[in-house]
Amino acid sequence: MTDAETHHQHRRLAAHLKELRQAAGLSAAAVGQASGWSQSKVSKMENGRTALVVADVERWLDAVGADDETRDEVVGLAREAGIRVRPWRHADRPGAADQEARGRRDAAAVGIAVYQSEVVPGLLQTPEYARRLLEVHSLMSRDEIPAAVLARMNRQTVLFDETTQFDLVITETALRWRPGSVSVTLAQLDRIEALAALPNVRIGVISRERQERREARPLHSFVLLRHVDSPAVVEIETLTAEQQLTDPADVARYEQFLVEQQALAAHGAELVELLDSVREELRQLPGPR
């Protein structure tokens, strides 16, 4: 669904929850007590001022004694409301403003996890790598790229906030993709090694060998944002849109995937050894650096 459709669905679901509470003859305090919530949370849920995740909706339905037919309908609405799609169109397409918005999003999180199977994640990119990548794979014009690169570099300052934990997994295939010259890729590998030394940044690389032996499951790239006072969110970018998932069951599957991939990835000294191996191969290539 688009932002507008998701907002409408969210408001519709919130209103439905309130109607069910009133039909059951229960106060907000009674629903909160039955569900183990504060009255404030109940009020926010039925007025659409907080995310409505499936698990909470199911507890609400338990509290009001909803029948099976009603449960199926309302849980279906909750699942639909938990998926948001934002198209990349004109002013909404990813550029400097988008990077600034992502910077604010990153700053609000207590944990950011990334799985990247195609390219080096934006949080780790050097300016030149970012510029070449945007030239090759972007909807923006060349005139917009410098501002977008600067905004992406500014966004990376969040890595030095030790109150935020970063958990990044990259495939060796993504590591080896070259948007420019060998020197661009070598500088990018140095950047990854330097950032991996930060105490709050965990970078793992899935080796090509593990990929070829199919030990590591292939999957599309995604970002998982963890918060203190609101549900975690998974963001998935496609060529034309960004999809957000908030249903805890969906988020849990992505969390588990990350755990599995980190267990297979190279870290620490093993990571440095892998980076050195890639560097050596790149230096052996013929042609200009």
Side-chain angles (χ1 to χ4, degrees):
M1 291 186 290
T2 63
D3 281 356
E5 290 169 334
T6 301
H7 179 72
H8 174 74
Q9 191 83 319
H10 189 268
R11 299 294 298 182
R12 179 185 169 199
L13 175 58
H16 204 354
L17 293 179
K18 184 174 183 178
E19 290 169 2
L20 290 171
R21 176 182 64 77
Q22 293 173 334
L26 297 174
S27 65
V31 170
Q33 185 176 10
S35 306
W37 303 326
S38 67
Q39 186 172 339
S40 172
K41 175 169 179 174
V42 174
S43 176
K44 288 179 180 178
M45 286 179 67
E46 66 180 24
N47 287 291
R49 298 199 305 271
T50 190
L52 296 172
V53 299
V54 173
D56 284 352
V57 169
E58 289 177 332
R59 289 171 72 180
W60 187 293
L61 295 171
D62 289 339
V64 302
D67 58 38
D68 290 344
E69 183 178 350
T70 300
R71 290 184 73 90
D72 288 345
E73 177 191 356
V74 176
V75 169
L77 284 174
R79 293 193 185 283
E80 290 178 19
I83 300 176
R84 174 179 157 228
V85 176
R86 183 164 69 98
W88 307 127
R89 292 199 190 103
H90 306 298
D92 291 329
R93 63 191 176 184
D98 178 75
Q99 288 298 314
E100 290 164 4
R102 286 170 182 272
R104 293 190 294 271
R105 174 206 70 178
D106 293 347
V110 295
I112 300 175
V114 179
Y115 174 76
Q116 182 55 264
S117 57
E118 294 94 16
V119 299
V120 171
L123 282 170
L124 307 181
Q125 292 171 8
T126 65
E128 185 63 13
Y129 185 102
R131 182 179 73 81
R132 296 295 185 100
L133 176 62
L134 291 172
E135 287 175 349
V136 171
H137 190 65
S138 175
L139 298 177
M140 69 184 70
S141 70
R142 285 186 175 268
D143 291 341
E144 297 173 298
I145 288 176
V149 171
L150 178 60
R152 180 165 294 186
M153 296 305 105
N154 290 337
R155 179 183 156 211
Q156 292 178 0
T157 58
V158 73
L159 292 168
F160 301 94
D161 178 0
E162 293 187 11
T163 64
T164 305
Q165 183 64 43
F166 295 86
D167 186 19
L168 302 101
V169 182
I170 317 167
T171 65
E172 186 178 343
T173 299
L175 204 65
R176 288 176 173 274
W177 185 77
R178 288 166 46 203
S181 65
V182 167
S183 61
V184 170
T185 304
L186 289 172
Q188 182 59 69
L189 297 177
D190 291 343
R191 173 72 170 166
I192 290 170
E193 183 176 344
L195 292 175
L198 294 175
N200 59 318
V201 178
R202 186 185 187 207
I203 300 175
V205 174
I206 304 287
S207 70
R208 196 162 53 179
E209 182 182 6
R210 287 191 181 277
Q211 289 180 270
E212 290 172 352
R213 292 205 309 248
R214 300 185 182 178
E215 294 178 47
R217 288 192 291 150
L219 190 69
H220 55 76
S221 302
F222 63 89
V223 176
L224 193 154
L225 299 150
R226 305 181 180 103
H227 306 92
V228 173
D229 299 321
S230 58
V233 177
V234 172
E235 295 187 349
I236 304 163
E237 288 187 15
T238 69
L239 182 63
T240 58
E242 176 188 87
Q243 182 181 32
Q244 291 188 342
L245 307 176
T246 58
D247 187 315
D250 293 334
V251 173
R253 295 190 68 177
Y254 281 90
E255 290 272 21
Q256 182 58 39
F257 178 82
L258 278 168
V259 169
E260 294 170 358
Q261 301 310 297
Q262 281 287 25
L264 293 170
H267 301 89
E270 187 182 1
L271 170 62
V272 174
E273 184 179 343
L274 191 155
L275 293 174
D276 284 342
S277 174
V278 177
R279 289 187 187 102
E280 186 58 31
E281 287 186 34
L282 289 172
R283 292 186 180 112
Q284 299 301 318
L285 293 176
R289 303 261 72 72

